Amino acid sequence: MNYWLMKSEPETYSISDLDRDRTTIWDGVRNYQARNYLRQMQVGDLAFFYHSNTTPPGIVGLMRVVIPEVIDPTQFDSSSPYYDPKSDSHSPRWYTVKVEFVKVFPRFISLPTLKQKFSPEELGVVRQGNRLSVMPVTDAIAQTILALAQ
């Protein structure tokens, strides 16, 4: 099992939305490095749900990958902000995963707290200028995050 961190703006899709829906596809990722991380995910991998573009941003909960290698349908929808006219159904560019809700953490872990605990080499989300919406988290760092959340 691997750990990941996945960002979403709470106004767009929050941990509460995932709790309500129970599962969702993580659509709309349009960065090749983030897409490649999504393609590495396997059933059972855990991902930290990170609320971005809010004050303060931070980790709010946990979700689990239930279906890997999902073709992102928004790339074909011309009314979607994630539409990609260069992608076609025979050779899609964008893949994602389906995730399920695991839990909301008892303690919110703010970005300032993460910056106090981890270096940019340890946790990519604290690296200045890092805008990736999906990134790996090592097992050791994940265990520390899980402990901070209790």
Side-chain angles (χ1 to χ4, degrees), residues 17-150:
D17 295 322
L18 182 57
D19 186 10
R20 177 197 64 224
D21 299 342
R22 306 314 292 171
T23 64
T24 193
I25 62 165
W26 203 259
D27 61 359
V29 173
R30 293 298 179 268
N31 172 286
Y32 284 106
Q33 187 175 4
R35 185 234 20 216
N36 292 343
Y37 287 142
L38 286 166
R39 293 194 76 182
Q40 292 174 27
M41 292 182 185
Q42 300 172 7
V43 172
D45 283 359
L46 293 173
F48 295 104
F49 198 123
Y50 183 95
H51 278 174
S52 63
N53 200 25
T54 190
T55 306
I59 297 174
V60 295
L62 196 63
M63 54 191 168
R64 179 180 297 112
V65 175
V66 292
I67 302 175
E69 289 284 323
V70 174
I71 296 171
D72 185 338
T74 62
Q75 67 191 305
F76 308 121
D77 180 358
S78 61
S79 67
S80 169
Y82 304 114
Y83 175 63
D84 183 350
K86 294 181 181 178
S87 189
D88 68 61
S89 59
H90 301 293
S91 182
R93 285 182 181 201
W94 305 107
Y95 287 81
T96 189
V97 294
K98 186 172 190 176
V99 295
E100 70 179 356
F101 175 81
V102 174
K103 68 180 174 179
V104 173
F105 286 148
R107 292 185 52 207
F108 170 72
I109 309 169
S110 70
L111 180 58
T113 299
L114 293 169
K115 286 181 175 182
Q116 288 176 346
K117 294 285 183 184
F118 305 108
S119 72
E121 295 74 34
E122 292 173 315
L123 185 62
V125 76
V126 305
R127 189 175 305 122
Q128 188 169 1
N130 185 335
R131 299 189 42 84
L132 276 181
S133 61
V134 178
M135 60 196 75
V137 176
T138 66
D139 185 64
I141 299 302
Q143 296 310 314
T144 303
I145 293 170
L146 290 169
L148 288 171
Q150 300 309 310

